[in-house]
Amino acid sequence: MLGFIRTDNEALVSCLGDPQRAVAAYRELLRRKEDALGAIRAGLSHEAAAVREGCCRLLDHLVDTESMDQLITMADDPDAKVRMAAFHALACDRCKGDTCAPGADRVLEPALQHLASDPDPQVRARAAELVGKFVHTDARAVAALQTSYAQDPSPAVRKMAGWFIPGGSIYERTAPRAPRKRDSLRPKPGS
């Protein structure tokens, strides 16, 4: 099966670090869903950064409440690709289906720290994406994104931050809508 000597979940997680087998292992682990979650969580501690990154990417699709704290911890991984994958997984709602995303109380502080000081601009951009989720509910998010928009040395980070600040395209698209006022001249139903 799949051309692997071993196809247990742990072996497939280890294959995420092998460029020749990573794609097939990733697809198979994704197909196995919840059955593979224990091995994927364990893979977050693997010595190979590529395995940790692959596990973060898998948790983007398979995240559950038991995995969330580990995924948040991965935002401080020494490898920039792992940090990027962790921030994307924490920010991306599209891949999660019905799973609730973590709230500001759990993820905003690490995202603010990395947005302000991570040495890798791609990590800062992913952190901006996560901070941007809270611009309508937390003034710290708006302030941090405005600072990044004005001062980040990377044009890509400045651009991303600009999308989430007031006047930015994502900010405007995600702004809570005021309830529509009922037309006082129209008769109410049943009158």
Side-chain angles (χ1 to χ4, degrees):
M1 178 176 160
L2 299 172
F4 297 117
I5 295 172
R6 290 179 38 217
T7 58
D8 57 282
N9 293 332
E10 291 75 15
L12 291 173
V13 165
S14 290
C15 288
L16 293 171
D18 178 349
Q20 311 232 313
R21 295 189 173 111
V23 172
Y26 180 91
R27 287 181 181 155
E28 180 60 18
L29 288 162
L30 193 58
R31 187 190 68 73
R32 293 181 184 187
K33 297 183 180 180
E34 293 82 19
D35 293 339
L37 271 175
I40 294 168
R41 283 187 211 115
L44 293 172
S45 301
H46 198 277
E47 64 186 27
V51 172
R52 297 191 308 272
E53 177 191 2
C55 290
C56 288
R57 289 181 29 240
L58 283 161
L59 287 175
D60 181 24
H61 298 276
L62 303 174
V63 73
D64 62 349
T65 53
E66 293 177 39
S67 305
M68 195 57 67
D69 286 335
Q70 288 178 287
L71 193 54
I72 292 167
T73 300
M74 299 312 292
D76 290 325
D77 192 89
D79 187 87
K81 288 182 180 180
V82 176
R83 294 193 308 273
M84 285 188 317
F87 276 119
H88 174 78
L90 292 167
C92 180
D93 293 333
R94 181 180 32 208
C95 303
K96 302 207 182 16
D98 296 335
T99 304
C100 292
D105 60 318
R106 296 178 76 191
V107 297
L108 184 56
E109 196 57 43
L112 290 169
Q113 290 172 4
H114 284 274
L115 177 60
S117 63
D118 197 282
D120 189 285
Q122 292 178 323
V123 175
R124 292 194 309 273
R126 296 288 78 75
E129 182 181 17
L130 182 54
V131 170
K133 291 181 66 159
F134 304 104
V135 293
H136 299 291
T137 57
D138 195 306
R140 295 176 303 159
V142 175
L145 288 164
Q146 287 174 326
T147 298
S148 288
Y149 179 68
Q151 299 175 4
D152 196 278
S154 167
V157 176
R158 291 193 307 269
K159 181 178 180 178
M160 172 99 45
W163 293 342
F164 291 100
I165 60 175
S169 59
I170 295 176
Y171 180 92
E172 299 301 325
R173 187 179 71 225
T174 59
R177 303 287 179 228
R180 291 175 48 176
K181 293 183 180 179
R182 191 173 202 158
D183 185 9
S184 60
L185 299 177
R186 279 196 328 212
K188 295 180 182 173
S191 323

